[in-house]
mmCIF file of all heavy atoms in Angstrom:
data_model
loop_
_atom_site.group_PDB
_atom_site.id
_atom_site.type_symbol
_atom_site.label_atom_id
_atom_site.label_comp_id
_atom_site.label_asym_id
_atom_site.label_seq_id
_atom_site.Cartn_x
_atom_site.Cartn_y
_atom_site.Cartn_z
ATOM 1 N N THR A 60 -29.885 35.130 33.855
ATOM 2 C CA THR A 60 -31.161 34.802 33.139
ATOM 3 C C THR A 60 -30.840 34.434 31.672
ATOM 4 O O THR A 60 -31.700 33.995 30.952
ATOM 5 C CB THR A 60 -32.176 36.037 33.170
ATOM 6 O OG1 THR A 60 -31.570 37.102 32.515
ATOM 7 C CG2 THR A 60 -32.593 36.242 34.616
ATOM 8 N N GLY A 61 -29.633 34.835 31.170
ATOM 9 C CA GLY A 61 -29.371 34.648 29.779
ATOM 10 C C GLY A 61 -30.010 35.614 28.831
ATOM 11 O O GLY A 61 -30.171 35.399 27.639
ATOM 12 N N LYS A 62 -30.484 36.731 29.372
ATOM 13 C CA LYS A 62 -31.126 37.788 28.613
ATOM 14 C C LYS A 62 -30.274 39.052 28.520
ATOM 15 O O LYS A 62 -29.424 39.297 29.400
ATOM 16 C CB LYS A 62 -32.499 38.096 29.217
ATOM 17 C CG LYS A 62 -33.459 36.944 29.189
ATOM 18 C CD LYS A 62 -34.121 36.814 27.875
ATOM 19 C CE LYS A 62 -35.172 35.744 27.868
ATOM 20 N NZ LYS A 62 -35.865 35.620 26.665
ATOM 21 N N ALA A 63 -30.560 39.843 27.533
ATOM 22 C CA ALA A 63 -29.899 41.128 27.370
ATOM 23 C C ALA A 63 -30.970 42.165 27.196
ATOM 24 O O ALA A 63 -32.083 41.932 26.825
ATOM 25 C CB ALA A 63 -28.960 41.090 26.055
ATOM 26 N N VAL A 64 -30.613 43.441 27.414
ATOM 27 C CA VAL A 64 -31.492 44.547 27.190
ATOM 28 C C VAL A 64 -31.028 45.302 25.959
ATOM 29 O O VAL A 64 -29.818 45.712 25.904
ATOM 30 C CB VAL A 64 -31.557 45.568 28.427
ATOM 31 C CG1 VAL A 64 -32.386 46.753 28.068
ATOM 32 C CG2 VAL A 64 -32.115 44.820 29.620
ATOM 33 N N MET A 65 -31.910 45.420 24.920
ATOM 34 C CA MET A 65 -31.567 46.083 23.713
ATOM 35 C C MET A 65 -32.504 47.229 23.476
ATOM 36 O O MET A 65 -33.702 47.231 23.869
ATOM 37 C CB MET A 65 -31.751 45.127 22.550
ATOM 38 C CG MET A 65 -30.732 43.942 22.514
ATOM 39 S SD MET A 65 -29.147 44.366 21.876
ATOM 40 C CE MET A 65 -29.546 44.731 20.126
ATOM 41 N N PHE A 66 -31.940 48.318 22.851
ATOM 42 C CA PHE A 66 -32.759 49.486 22.448
ATOM 43 C C PHE A 66 -32.705 49.535 20.937
ATOM 44 O O PHE A 66 -31.616 49.529 20.335
ATOM 45 C CB PHE A 66 -32.277 50.785 22.997
ATOM 46 C CG PHE A 66 -32.277 50.830 24.539
ATOM 47 C CD1 PHE A 66 -31.205 51.182 25.274
ATOM 48 C CD2 PHE A 66 -33.464 50.528 25.230
ATOM 49 C CE1 PHE A 66 -31.230 51.223 26.660
ATOM 50 C CE2 PHE A 66 -33.531 50.559 26.586
ATOM 51 C CZ PHE A 66 -32.348 50.933 27.313
ATOM 52 N N LYS A 67 -33.861 49.612 20.285
ATOM 53 C CA LYS A 67 -33.952 49.610 18.811
ATOM 54 C C LYS A 67 -33.728 51.069 18.344
ATOM 55 O O LYS A 67 -34.260 52.021 18.921
ATOM 56 C CB LYS A 67 -35.227 49.129 18.403
ATOM 57 C CG LYS A 67 -35.495 49.156 16.841
ATOM 58 C CD LYS A 67 -36.856 48.491 16.578
ATOM 59 C CE LYS A 67 -37.376 48.891 15.260
ATOM 60 N NZ LYS A 67 -38.057 50.269 15.223
ATOM 61 N N GLY A 68 -33.040 51.162 17.223
ATOM 62 C CA GLY A 68 -32.789 52.526 16.606
ATOM 63 C C GLY A 68 -33.398 52.708 15.264
ATOM 64 O O GLY A 68 -33.760 51.685 14.605
ATOM 65 N N THR A 69 -33.642 53.940 14.949
ATOM 66 C CA THR A 69 -34.232 54.302 13.620
ATOM 67 C C THR A 69 -33.566 55.602 13.193
ATOM 68 O O THR A 69 -33.196 56.438 13.956
ATOM 69 C CB THR A 69 -35.730 54.388 13.696
ATOM 70 O OG1 THR A 69 -36.222 54.707 12.343
ATOM 71 C CG2 THR A 69 -36.190 55.419 14.666
ATOM 72 N N SER A 70 -33.606 55.802 11.908
ATOM 73 C CA SER A 70 -33.047 57.055 11.350
ATOM 74 C C SER A 70 -34.136 58.165 11.263
ATOM 75 O O SER A 70 -33.813 59.322 10.928
ATOM 76 C CB SER A 70 -32.339 56.871 10.016
ATOM 77 O OG SER A 70 -33.316 56.361 9.118
ATOM 78 N N GLN A 71 -35.390 57.724 11.513
ATOM 79 C CA GLN A 71 -36.452 58.662 11.414
ATOM 80 C C GLN A 71 -36.714 59.409 12.767
ATOM 81 O O GLN A 71 -37.028 58.679 13.734
ATOM 82 C CB GLN A 71 -37.755 57.993 10.978
ATOM 83 C CG GLN A 71 -37.615 57.415 9.556
ATOM 84 C CD GLN A 71 -38.837 56.758 9.071
ATOM 85 O OE1 GLN A 71 -39.691 56.329 9.856
ATOM 86 N NE2 GLN A 71 -38.932 56.547 7.738
ATOM 87 N N GLN A 72 -36.700 60.681 12.739
ATOM 88 C CA GLN A 72 -37.002 61.491 13.907
ATOM 89 C C GLN A 72 -38.515 61.317 14.265
ATOM 90 O O GLN A 72 -39.347 61.340 13.361
ATOM 91 C CB GLN A 72 -36.657 62.913 13.735
ATOM 92 C CG GLN A 72 -36.932 63.786 14.925
ATOM 93 C CD GLN A 72 -36.518 65.257 14.690
ATOM 94 O OE1 GLN A 72 -35.893 65.522 13.724
ATOM 95 N NE2 GLN A 72 -36.835 66.066 15.663
ATOM 96 N N PRO A 73 -38.894 61.232 15.495
ATOM 97 C CA PRO A 73 -40.280 61.187 15.893
ATOM 98 C C PRO A 73 -41.007 62.414 15.337
ATOM 99 O O PRO A 73 -40.428 63.582 15.372
ATOM 100 C CB PRO A 73 -40.297 61.163 17.377
ATOM 101 C CG PRO A 73 -38.970 60.741 17.772
ATOM 102 C CD PRO A 73 -38.025 61.147 16.712
ATOM 103 N N LYS A 74 -42.218 62.202 14.827
ATOM 104 C CA LYS A 74 -42.957 63.341 14.228
ATOM 105 C C LYS A 74 -43.396 64.409 15.231
ATOM 106 O O LYS A 74 -43.446 65.566 14.913
ATOM 107 C CB LYS A 74 -44.213 62.790 13.537
ATOM 108 C CG LYS A 74 -43.850 61.860 12.415
ATOM 109 C CD LYS A 74 -45.001 61.584 11.513
ATOM 110 C CE LYS A 74 -44.796 60.578 10.404
ATOM 111 N NZ LYS A 74 -43.491 60.506 9.770
ATOM 112 N N LYS A 75 -43.629 64.042 16.454
ATOM 113 C CA LYS A 75 -43.996 65.022 17.497
ATOM 114 C C LYS A 75 -42.891 65.188 18.509
ATOM 115 O O LYS A 75 -42.311 64.204 19.000
ATOM 116 C CB LYS A 75 -45.321 64.628 18.196
ATOM 117 C CG LYS A 75 -46.443 64.552 17.219
ATOM 118 C CD LYS A 75 -47.731 64.305 17.844
ATOM 119 C CE LYS A 75 -48.845 64.259 16.836
ATOM 120 N NZ LYS A 75 -50.175 63.974 17.420
ATOM 121 N N ALA A 76 -42.586 66.445 18.837
ATOM 122 C CA ALA A 76 -41.443 66.692 19.799
ATOM 123 C C ALA A 76 -41.667 66.126 21.153
ATOM 124 O O ALA A 76 -40.725 65.661 21.820
ATOM 125 C CB ALA A 76 -41.306 68.213 19.924
ATOM 126 N N ARG A 77 -42.926 65.911 21.584
ATOM 127 C CA ARG A 77 -43.139 65.331 22.912
ATOM 128 C C ARG A 77 -42.712 63.884 23.033
ATOM 129 O O ARG A 77 -42.461 63.433 24.115
ATOM 130 C CB ARG A 77 -44.624 65.497 23.262
ATOM 131 C CG ARG A 77 -45.510 64.618 22.485
ATOM 132 C CD ARG A 77 -46.991 64.734 22.997
ATOM 133 N NE ARG A 77 -47.853 63.967 22.032
ATOM 134 C CZ ARG A 77 -49.068 64.285 21.770
ATOM 135 N NH1 ARG A 77 -49.529 65.390 22.287
ATOM 136 N NH2 ARG A 77 -49.732 63.548 20.954
ATOM 137 N N TYR A 78 -42.541 63.254 21.913
ATOM 138 C CA TYR A 78 -42.002 61.847 21.917
ATOM 139 C C TYR A 78 -40.512 61.746 22.029
ATOM 140 O O TYR A 78 -40.000 60.671 22.267
ATOM 141 C CB TYR A 78 -42.557 61.080 20.701
ATOM 142 C CG TYR A 78 -44.024 60.954 20.618
ATOM 143 C CD1 TYR A 78 -44.734 61.350 19.524
ATOM 144 C CD2 TYR A 78 -44.756 60.342 21.689
ATOM 145 C CE1 TYR A 78 -46.177 61.230 19.466
ATOM 146 C CE2 TYR A 78 -46.154 60.288 21.664
ATOM 147 C CZ TYR A 78 -46.801 60.695 20.513
ATOM 148 O OH TYR A 78 -48.146 60.570 20.505
ATOM 149 N N LEU A 79 -39.822 62.869 21.795
ATOM 150 C CA LEU A 79 -38.391 62.796 21.839
ATOM 151 C C LEU A 79 -37.772 62.401 23.161
ATOM 152 O O LEU A 79 -36.744 61.885 23.236
ATOM 153 C CB LEU A 79 -37.791 64.210 21.398
ATOM 154 C CG LEU A 79 -37.526 64.404 19.970
ATOM 155 C CD1 LEU A 79 -37.174 65.851 19.673
ATOM 156 C CD2 LEU A 79 -36.552 63.410 19.404
ATOM 157 N N ILE A 80 -38.641 62.581 24.274
ATOM 158 C CA ILE A 80 -38.074 62.138 25.589
ATOM 159 C C ILE A 80 -37.886 60.642 25.582
ATOM 160 O O ILE A 80 -37.115 60.165 26.419
ATOM 161 C CB ILE A 80 -39.066 62.655 26.672
ATOM 162 C CG1 ILE A 80 -38.376 62.494 28.017
ATOM 163 C CG2 ILE A 80 -40.376 61.840 26.649
ATOM 164 C CD1 ILE A 80 -39.216 63.187 29.156
ATOM 165 N N SER A 81 -38.548 59.905 24.759
ATOM 166 C CA SER A 81 -38.394 58.442 24.755
ATOM 167 C C SER A 81 -37.207 57.952 23.994
ATOM 168 O O SER A 81 -36.966 56.782 23.866
ATOM 169 C CB SER A 81 -39.641 57.834 24.038
ATOM 170 O OG SER A 81 -40.747 58.185 24.775
ATOM 171 N N TYR A 82 -36.423 58.939 23.385
ATOM 172 C CA TYR A 82 -35.325 58.576 22.511
ATOM 173 C C TYR A 82 -33.947 59.131 22.968
ATOM 174 O O TYR A 82 -33.885 60.241 23.527
ATOM 175 C CB TYR A 82 -35.578 59.059 21.096
ATOM 176 C CG TYR A 82 -36.725 58.390 20.414
ATOM 177 C CD1 TYR A 82 -37.971 58.788 20.515
ATOM 178 C CD2 TYR A 82 -36.455 57.323 19.524
ATOM 179 C CE1 TYR A 82 -39.028 58.099 19.887
ATOM 180 C CE2 TYR A 82 -37.472 56.675 18.898
ATOM 181 C CZ TYR A 82 -38.771 57.104 19.095
ATOM 182 O OH TYR A 82 -39.807 56.426 18.409
ATOM 183 N N ALA A 83 -32.928 58.346 22.741
ATOM 184 C CA ALA A 83 -31.540 58.904 22.836
ATOM 185 C C ALA A 83 -31.104 59.100 21.422
ATOM 186 O O ALA A 83 -31.200 58.191 20.575
ATOM 187 C CB ALA A 83 -30.623 57.881 23.545
ATOM 188 N N VAL A 84 -30.572 60.288 21.121
ATOM 189 C CA VAL A 84 -30.193 60.582 19.807
ATOM 190 C C VAL A 84 -28.636 60.556 19.664
ATOM 191 O O VAL A 84 -27.913 61.220 20.405
ATOM 192 C CB VAL A 84 -30.617 61.977 19.342
ATOM 193 C CG1 VAL A 84 -30.234 62.333 17.956
ATOM 194 C CG2 VAL A 84 -32.076 62.152 19.605
ATOM 195 N N LEU A 85 -28.130 59.659 18.749
ATOM 196 C CA LEU A 85 -26.704 59.492 18.620
ATOM 197 C C LEU A 85 -26.275 59.854 17.217
ATOM 198 O O LEU A 85 -26.898 59.452 16.240
ATOM 199 C CB LEU A 85 -26.316 58.012 18.865
ATOM 200 C CG LEU A 85 -26.615 57.438 20.276
ATOM 201 C CD1 LEU A 85 -26.036 56.000 20.381
ATOM 202 C CD2 LEU A 85 -26.024 58.312 21.375
ATOM 203 N N ALA A 86 -25.213 60.647 17.175
ATOM 204 C CA ALA A 86 -24.549 60.989 15.904
ATOM 205 C C ALA A 86 -23.603 59.901 15.459
ATOM 206 O O ALA A 86 -22.976 59.274 16.343
ATOM 207 C CB ALA A 86 -23.882 62.425 16.006
ATOM 208 N N PRO A 87 -23.407 59.731 14.199
ATOM 209 C CA PRO A 87 -22.391 58.686 13.768
ATOM 210 C C PRO A 87 -20.989 59.175 14.180
ATOM 211 O O PRO A 87 -20.648 60.359 14.162
ATOM 212 C CB PRO A 87 -22.560 58.700 12.277
ATOM 213 C CG PRO A 87 -23.283 59.824 11.867
ATOM 214 C CD PRO A 87 -24.036 60.348 13.078
ATOM 215 N N ASN A 88 -20.151 58.174 14.538
ATOM 216 C CA ASN A 88 -18.790 58.375 14.757
ATOM 217 C C ASN A 88 -17.987 57.173 14.516
ATOM 218 O O ASN A 88 -18.535 56.106 14.209
ATOM 219 C CB ASN A 88 -18.549 58.950 16.252
ATOM 220 C CG ASN A 88 -18.972 57.945 17.320
ATOM 221 O OD1 ASN A 88 -18.644 56.800 17.304
ATOM 222 N ND2 ASN A 88 -19.738 58.494 18.280
#
Side-chain angles (χ1 to χ4, degrees):
T60 63
K62 297 282 187 176
V64 174
M65 295 277 295
F66 298 130
K67 179 177 159 279
T69 182
S70 60
Q71 294 180 344
Q72 180 176 352
K74 296 195 185 324
K75 296 184 180 180
R77 68 176 176 216
Y78 296 125
L79 271 174
I80 194 169
S81 301
Y82 291 86
V84 183
L85 301 184
N88 60 49

